[in-house]
Amino acid sequence: MQPLVITAAICGAEVFRDQSPYVPYSPAELADEAVRCFEAGASMVHLHVREPDGTPSQRADLFADAMGDIRARCPMIVQFSTGGAVGMGVDERADAVRLRPDMATLSTGSVNFGDDVFSNPLPLVRQIARRVRQFGVVPEIECFDSGMVDTALRLARDGEIALPAHFDFVLGMAGGMGGSERHLDFMRSLLPEGSSWSVAGIGRCELPLARHAIAIGGHVRVGLEDNLYLSKGVLAKGSFELVAAVAHMARDFGRPLATSDQAREILRLPPRSLA
Ligand code: KMH
Ligand code: ZN
């Protein structure tokens, strides 16, 4: 069985300390949490950054501090969000890509996002895809609904992204695609040959979808960005507890965890020495 890549989504832009005291904000807190996730079995960190008071930010200096600290302490793959927070414009969302993280997300369509809209009209998607390509960063295609896979295929036909690629299916969000095993089975059935995929289940969908993904050969994203709870009513004391729960499931299935070097191979990233 292919080793399992676990991505830790450690803070996002929509969860705050009044919901969980364990959400990291500062670059130092983000790096500490990333290292805990690495030790628990994650090989990639999906990174957002925050202003000191927790306001969602995409400031390049904050990304630089967090990435520098993480890279100094562990070999995790560092993936920046270009989604940022609802309402941010393209320049704010994509500016930090010039720091050349290993990967950056690319959402390929708009979706209702709770009571808001995560807006990704096609011209904006193309702009972010170009920015990501300009700096030699590998995109992770974020799909909140099946049409976003189709749009990614269209972008590939237009030469904006390369295939095969790595896709992340964000399922179970209020306003987006549902989070059942059937939804995940359908999403993966749409992928072009040779592409890899992970699932990020939102809220209570997180761990059940992780289990299904492990069973059918996919990869998994977990963390406080997507879900604050380890079990009903029990807050996770950090994303590392959710990573550890997934690592435990993987052991039950006999699925080894990917080292960061193996994850680089699976995700078609250059080896660390050349990165
Ligand atoms: N925070 C959401 C509006 C990404 O990181 O690329 C977008 C998001 C997707 O989280
Ligand atoms: Zn994100």
Side-chain angles (χ1 to χ4, degrees):
M1 270 188 157
Q2 190 180 49
L4 175 70
V5 178
I6 304 177
T7 300
I10 60 181
C11 88
E14 286 83 27
V15 289
F16 299 94
R17 293 259 169 84
D18 58 351
Q19 296 162 278
S20 165
Y22 306 111
V23 180
Y25 285 169
S26 70
E29 289 167 352
L30 290 165
D32 286 347
E33 183 60 34
V35 172
R36 281 192 286 272
C37 290
F38 173 73
E39 288 166 352
S43 44
M44 172 148 74
V45 58
H46 167 75
L47 211 55
H48 290 246
V49 292
R50 302 291 185 99
E51 299 297 334
D53 67 355
T55 304
S57 174
Q58 288 288 101
R59 265 171 50 202
D61 59 322
L62 297 171
F63 272 114
D65 287 350
M67 180 165 69
D69 203 349
I70 294 167
R71 284 188 168 164
R73 293 166 63 187
C74 73
M76 263 181 144
I77 297 166
V78 177
Q79 179 193 83
F80 286 0
S81 168
T82 67
V86 162
M88 288 178 174
V90 61
D91 289 329
E92 185 176 12
R93 283 171 55 174
D95 178 48
V97 169
R98 63 187 161 80
L99 301 174
R100 300 181 193 274
D102 300 294
M103 296 185 88
T105 55
L106 177 67
S107 293
T108 47
S110 302
V111 62
N112 284 342
F113 204 84
D115 291 340
D116 294 310
V117 178
F118 178 35
S119 181
N120 292 292
L122 204 45
L124 177 147
V125 176
R126 291 188 195 280
Q127 267 181 285
I128 296 182
R130 279 176 207 147
R131 189 84 62 98
V132 168
R133 206 170 59 245
Q134 176 189 352
F135 291 101
V137 176
V138 176
E140 173 182 276
I141 313 301
E142 299 276 314
C143 298
F144 295 74
D145 215 328
S146 58
M148 297 188 195
V149 178
D150 298 307
T151 299
L153 302 186
R154 176 205 283 226
L155 291 172
R157 280 195 297 274
D158 295 346
E160 305 270 29
I161 62 168
L163 290 178
H166 183 67
F167 290 74
D168 183 53
F169 305 135
V170 187
L171 302 181
M173 200 187 61
M177 196 156 170
S180 72
E181 292 185 4
R182 277 199 309 150
H183 287 98
L184 177 53
D185 292 341
F186 177 60
M187 289 297 264
R188 70 185 280 249
S189 76
L190 302 175
L191 289 190
E193 191 65 27
S195 286
S196 51
W197 61 271
S198 56
V199 69
I202 301 300
R204 72 184 63 148
C205 300
E206 184 173 71
L207 294 175
L209 281 180
R211 181 177 292 280
H212 187 52
I214 292 167
I216 62 178
H219 303 280
V220 171
R221 174 177 118 174
V222 287
L224 299 191
E225 172 166 348
D226 302 328
N227 163 44
L228 296 173
Y229 293 93
L230 195 55
S231 56
K232 195 171 163 55
V234 180
L235 284 175
K237 291 190 174 59
S239 297
F240 72 96
E241 286 200 337
L242 296 161
V243 171
V246 172
H248 188 80
M249 284 178 199
R251 268 193 296 279
D252 285 349
F253 277 97
R255 184 113 185 246
L257 300 184
T259 63
S260 293
D261 286 342
Q262 287 172 327
R264 283 181 173 278
E265 228 178 289
I266 292 165
L267 302 172
R268 293 165 294 277
L269 302 180
R272 215 162 5 128
S273 53
L274 301 178

